[in-house]
Amino acid sequence: MRTGRTRNIGIITLNIANSFYPSLIDAIEEIAFKNNYSVTISCTYYDIERERKHINNFISNNVAGLILCSGANDENLIKKVSQNNIPLVVLDRKTNYKNIPYVGIDNYRAFYNATSYLINAGHKKIYYLSEPITMGTLEDRLNGYKQALTDNGLNFQKDWLVIDKKLQNQKVEGGYSVFKELLEKNIHPEAVLGVADTVIYGAMKAAYDLGLKIPEDISFMGNNDIYLSEYQMPALTTIKWPKKEMGRMAIKLLIDLINGKRIEEKKIILKTEIIERATVKYRD
C-alpha cells in the first residue's frame, strides 16, 4: 500500500440504474473483497461537474485507486488523478493517456458487425437510435454503423440517425418516447439498431402499442446483452459484451498498480459476439 492510502477503491460510472453496469461492478466488488478492499460507487449522470466533484472527493479521501468508466471527454480529470499519484484504470472509456491501463471492447467493430448482420438478413433501411455522441466510444459505434452501410453499398441517410438526449439516463422510457414519435410520423424502418438493449426495449414497446409485429414488421437489435434480453418476448438479438471479464480485468490491473507492479499490457480489448435470438427477420 502507498503511504496514507485507505483500502477503499472508487468507481465512477454514468448511472448505476443502467443495467449494463451491475455485472461490471459485481465482478469488481467480488475481487476487491477477496483482496480486502471495499468499493465506493459514484455516478455522474453525464454531468461533467458532478464527475469533477466525485474525483475531488476520492482524492481528498485518499482512495487506494480509481476505476473510471464514466465516459466523459475531459482529459484534465484523468491528468489530475495521475498528478495525485492515485492508481487509475479506465474501463470502456477512451483516453489519450497511453500510460493509463484501459479495458474495453472494439466498439467500432462491434457495431460494424451488427449492422452487417442486419444487412445480410436482407434489411436496407436500418435506423440507429443513440444518445448524443459525447464520448469516444459512442463515436466509434456510430462510425462502425455508417461504414458497414457504405461497405455494403447502402447510402447512409441522415434521417436514419435518431439521436436524442432522452436516451441518456432514462433509456427504456426514452426509447419508447423517441421511437413512438417516429412511428407516429408514419416512418417505418425495416430494422433498428440501438446503442443499448434498454433503448430497444422501449422502442419495441412503442412498436407493439402501435399495432406492429416483431420481427415481422420491424427487426430490432440491441447492444450489451443484459440479463433480461434473453427473457424478452420475443427474445432480443443483441451484441454480447464480456461484462464480467471486463470488470475482473479492470480490478486486477488496479490492484497490481496499487501494489507497485509493472503493467506490461496497458490496452486490453476483449471480444464481443452477436447473440441471435428472435427479433430479427430474414427477408427474401
Side-chain angles (χ1 to χ4, degrees):
M1 288 291 293
R2 295 173 183 268
T3 304
R5 297 288 183 216
T6 65
R7 295 201 70 86
N8 184 44
I9 287 170
I11 302 174
I12 298 180
T13 187
L14 285 170
N15 184 349
I16 194 63
N18 184 329
S19 300
F20 171 71
Y21 292 108
S23 292
L24 286 177
I25 293 170
D26 182 64
I28 291 170
E29 200 281 333
E30 179 184 3
I31 292 177
F33 179 78
K34 289 179 180 178
N35 287 273
N36 297 315
Y37 288 97
S38 61
V39 171
T40 299
I41 304 163
S42 294
C43 300
T44 68
Y45 303 101
Y46 294 85
D47 184 339
I48 192 64
E49 288 302 319
R50 190 172 184 139
E51 179 167 333
R52 187 172 289 114
K53 288 180 181 179
H54 286 321
I55 284 178
N56 287 336
N57 286 337
F58 280 130
I59 290 172
S60 63
N61 286 314
N62 294 319
V63 290
L66 273 175
I67 294 177
L68 193 59
C69 52
S70 58
N73 286 325
D74 191 342
E75 294 288 277
N76 289 325
L77 296 180
I78 292 179
K79 183 178 180 181
K80 185 170 187 178
V81 174
S82 296
Q83 288 175 337
N84 281 272
N85 297 316
I86 295 176
L88 172 67
V89 172
V90 173
L91 179 58
D92 188 40
R93 165 179 172 161
K94 297 182 76 173
T95 176
N96 294 325
Y97 289 93
K98 299 187 184 301
N99 61 322
I100 303 294
Y102 165 84
V103 179
I105 61 121
D106 186 339
N107 281 274
Y108 174 91
R109 181 54 53 185
F111 275 73
Y112 183 97
N113 291 343
T115 306
S116 297
Y117 172 87
L118 291 171
I119 294 169
N120 291 334
H123 301 290
K124 296 180 180 179
K125 190 178 179 182
I126 302 169
Y127 275 60
Y128 185 79
L129 302 185
S130 176
E131 62 203 73
I133 312 300
T134 58
M135 302 178 280
T137 50
L138 291 172
E139 185 177 4
D140 287 346
R141 294 175 195 179
L142 177 57
N143 288 338
Y145 157 76
K146 287 182 176 180
Q147 192 61 50
L149 292 175
T150 300
D151 289 352
N152 285 278
L154 298 176
N155 293 321
F156 169 69
Q157 305 292 321
K158 286 186 177 180
D159 60 346
W160 294 358
L161 181 58
V162 182
I163 295 180
D164 199 297
K165 196 171 183 179
K166 295 175 187 174
L167 304 180
Q168 285 186 330
N169 289 315
Q170 301 293 329
K171 295 191 183 300
V172 177
E173 298 88 342
Y176 180 88
S177 172
V178 167
F179 200 64
K180 186 170 185 284
E181 183 178 328
L182 192 74
L183 293 174
E184 286 175 340
K185 293 177 181 177
N186 204 30
I187 297 172
H188 290 271
E190 292 179 7
V192 180
L193 174 61
V195 75
D197 284 358
T198 43
V199 168
I200 293 299
Y201 292 173
M204 288 170 62
K205 177 67 163 57
Y208 276 127
D209 285 355
L210 292 177
L212 298 173
K213 295 180 179 180
I214 302 170
E216 290 83 0
D217 295 322
I218 304 177
S219 291
F220 288 91
M221 188 165 187
N223 172 50
N224 299 148
D225 191 32
I226 62 175
Y227 174 70
L228 291 174
S229 293
E230 184 178 357
Y231 299 97
Q232 288 290 302
M233 293 297 290
L236 182 63
T237 295
T238 186
I239 304 167
K240 181 178 179 64
W241 287 47
K243 297 181 286 295
K244 289 276 191 179
E245 188 178 357
M246 288 171 66
R248 285 192 286 265
M249 291 295 299
I251 186 63
K252 287 178 180 179
L253 283 171
L254 185 62
I255 291 173
D256 282 347
L257 285 175
I258 292 170
N259 291 329
K261 293 184 179 179
R262 181 181 176 84
I263 306 297
E264 297 294 339
E265 188 178 3
K266 289 191 168 64
K267 187 175 182 180
I268 298 174
I269 305 296
L270 301 176
K271 292 182 178 180
T272 60
E273 61 178 311
I274 292 173
I275 301 298
E276 188 173 20
R277 295 194 178 108
T279 56
V280 174
K281 177 183 177 180
Y282 280 79
R283 296 175 178 265
D284 295 330

